[in-house]
Amino acid sequence: MKKRIGLIVLIIIAILVIFNFDLIRYGIRQASGQLHIIYNARPVEEYLNDSTVSQEVKDKLKLVDDVKSFAHERLHLAETDNYTEMYDQQGQPVLWVVTGCEPFSFQPYQWTFPVLGSVPYKGFFKKHLADQELEDIKSKGLDAGMRTVGGWSTLGWFNDPILSEMLSRSNGDLANLIIHELVHSTIFVKDSVEFNENLASFIADKGTLIYMSEKFGADSDEMKNYVNEENDNKKFIRHMLSGYDILDSLYQSFEGVSEVRKLRQKEEVIKSIINNLDTLKLHNDNRLSNFKGFVPNNTYFMSFKRYQSKQGKLDSLFNKEFDQELVNFIEYLKNKHPYL
């Protein structure tokens, strides 16, 4: 009887492996990539005590630690062992994320994972694997996009290290990134990527303003530079969300329209959106140079909706129900959405 039960269990396991082989293989690859980074990361203290490391890098590392303390003590975000080590990227990307979307509607392609549920992106630590996934998405007749990632949260599965390229950011931008990722380690709702990303962006924006003001002073150059960066970001985001709305309206008018005409109209609208970037009058218009030779598709516009489309609703809740008290707002959400 025991042998029979054991055989049945083995058969069930074999069946599960066969039907979930791609997912298991992906999980192993991701774990391997994450572990490679973790095992090759060095404690921050080693960098701080290394005479060959520049003072600029050391100052940024100290800033990360200071932001962590602020996020825990002042914002009541979860206290973690994240960002106590740093991985030297040697100037190279370490993670590529692939997204997909219907070509004439903003319906994202979804991947399903244990714990996380359905998510509209898939990460890879090997570029050639990301390239393969990108081509697979394209072969389905979908818009496909790929971007590198400057930081991410493993949601408590690992102690997330600082990535060396993070330190190339301005102080305000770096603080914003750290707070954003720490929000993910505090509040994360399954099957709600858009809510999670919008919330992390919202809290990071509000929290960074408080941090920068307290750390450097409301009238400091550091604060002024950060405010200018944020104003540029908001103008750019509003423009892209407006572009999203224009395209969405266009797609909803496509009933009975030929594929050739759909594509031509889509291309014309996207070209107009990009050409009108010159009207934004940014404080630093160098970011617009990234669009030379770049033609975005639906996945690009979807990314703005994923991270920014709910900011107005969150801001309304923040102002009306919590009188702009960020800690009370965070505590409410922590209680409403218990962590994974």
Side-chain angles (χ1 to χ4, degrees):
M1 180 62 72
K2 289 182 179 179
K3 289 182 178 179
R4 188 173 298 174
I5 292 173
L7 180 60
I8 292 172
V9 170
L10 288 174
I11 290 173
I12 292 172
I13 292 173
I15 291 172
L16 289 173
V17 170
I18 291 171
F19 282 95
N20 294 277
F21 178 74
D22 288 341
L23 180 60
I24 292 171
R25 181 173 61 176
Y26 173 76
I28 292 172
R29 285 172 171 171
Q30 289 305 97
S32 175
Q34 186 70 51
L35 289 172
H36 171 79
I37 291 175
I38 290 171
Y39 288 143
N40 287 280
R42 292 167 51 196
V44 167
E45 287 299 319
E46 287 189 14
Y47 286 97
L48 294 177
N49 295 325
D50 188 338
S51 61
T52 65
V53 175
S54 71
Q55 188 60 45
E56 182 181 4
V57 167
K58 291 180 180 180
D59 289 343
K60 287 289 179 66
L61 290 172
K62 291 175 183 177
L63 182 79
V64 171
D65 186 61
D66 195 52
V67 172
K68 270 192 63 182
S69 297
F70 166 84
H72 172 61
E73 296 168 8
R74 294 277 281 103
L75 303 183
H76 296 186
L77 298 182
E79 188 172 13
T80 71
D81 290 328
N82 290 346
Y83 309 127
T84 55
E85 297 183 320
M86 185 170 80
Y87 175 74
D88 186 358
Q89 297 175 246
Q90 299 181 349
Q92 300 299 316
V94 293
L95 183 67
W96 292 262
V97 169
V98 175
T99 55
C101 185
E102 291 291 334
F104 302 117
S105 75
F106 283 113
Q107 181 63 40
Y109 185 82
Q110 300 273 1
W111 290 266
T112 302
F113 301 101
V115 182
L116 295 178
S118 296
V119 295
Y121 46 67
K122 191 173 184 180
F124 296 88
F125 287 101
K126 300 289 186 182
K127 187 174 184 298
H128 74 276
L129 296 175
D131 288 334
Q132 290 174 13
E133 190 75 13
L134 188 75
E135 292 306 314
D136 183 58
I137 296 299
K138 289 179 179 178
S139 72
K140 293 178 170 64
L142 303 175
D143 280 5
M146 182 168 66
R147 62 185 177 86
T148 58
V149 176
W152 64 91
S153 172
T154 58
L155 305 180
W157 288 95
F158 303 98
N159 292 333
D160 303 330
I162 299 166
L163 302 175
S164 57
E165 288 301 297
M166 289 180 178
L167 306 186
S168 64
R169 296 168 178 254
S170 68
N171 286 339
D173 195 23
L174 177 59
N176 192 297
L177 173 63
I178 297 300
I179 295 174
H180 181 109
E181 300 304 338
L182 290 177
V183 172
H184 286 323
S185 297
T186 307
I187 306 165
F188 196 89
V189 184
K190 183 178 179 179
D191 290 324
S192 299
V193 170
E194 192 170 305
F195 171 79
N196 292 325
E197 295 297 356
N198 269 269
L199 181 63
S201 295
F202 182 84
I203 293 175
D205 288 348
K206 299 296 184 185
T208 303
L209 284 173
I210 298 171
Y211 174 78
M212 294 294 289
S213 180
E214 293 182 358
K215 175 71 174 179
F216 299 102
D219 295 323
S220 66
D221 288 340
E222 288 284 354
M223 184 66 172
K224 291 175 182 176
N225 289 337
Y226 178 67
V227 169
N228 285 333
E229 287 178 14
E230 281 301 287
N231 287 339
D232 281 357
N233 284 336
K234 288 176 181 177
K235 288 180 182 178
F236 188 80
I237 289 166
R238 281 197 299 268
H239 183 79
M240 289 304 171
L241 286 175
S242 174
Y244 174 97
D245 290 338
I246 293 169
L247 284 166
D248 190 41
S249 296
L250 176 67
Y251 298 153
Q252 292 182 40
S253 72
F254 273 168
E255 186 175 354
V257 178
S258 70
E259 294 293 305
V260 172
R261 187 178 177 187
K262 286 180 183 179
L263 183 59
R264 183 175 68 249
Q265 290 183 335
K266 173 185 176 180
E267 290 174 345
E268 288 173 353
V269 169
I270 290 177
K271 183 178 179 180
S272 175
I273 293 168
I274 299 306
N275 287 342
N276 286 333
L277 282 170
D278 291 339
T279 66
L280 295 184
K281 297 180 181 179
L282 302 180
H283 182 266
N284 178 10
D285 58 8
N286 286 338
R287 66 183 301 168
L288 301 183
S289 63
N290 295 331
F291 284 90
K292 291 180 180 178
F294 171 63
V295 179
N297 60 29
N298 284 358
T299 62
Y300 183 80
F301 293 96
M302 278 290 296
S303 68
F304 288 91
K305 182 174 184 292
R306 187 172 300 130
Y307 283 83
Q308 299 291 337
S309 63
K310 298 184 183 298
Q311 298 301 298
K313 291 182 179 179
L314 289 170
D315 200 48
S316 178
L317 178 67
F318 178 65
N319 291 323
K320 293 179 180 178
E321 300 296 328
F322 297 94
D323 197 28
Q324 299 186 356
E325 290 291 337
L326 188 56
V327 172
N328 293 341
F329 179 72
I330 292 170
E331 289 296 337
Y332 163 77
L333 289 163
K334 285 164 64 176
N335 291 327
K336 184 178 180 180
H337 303 289
Y339 192 65
L340 286 172

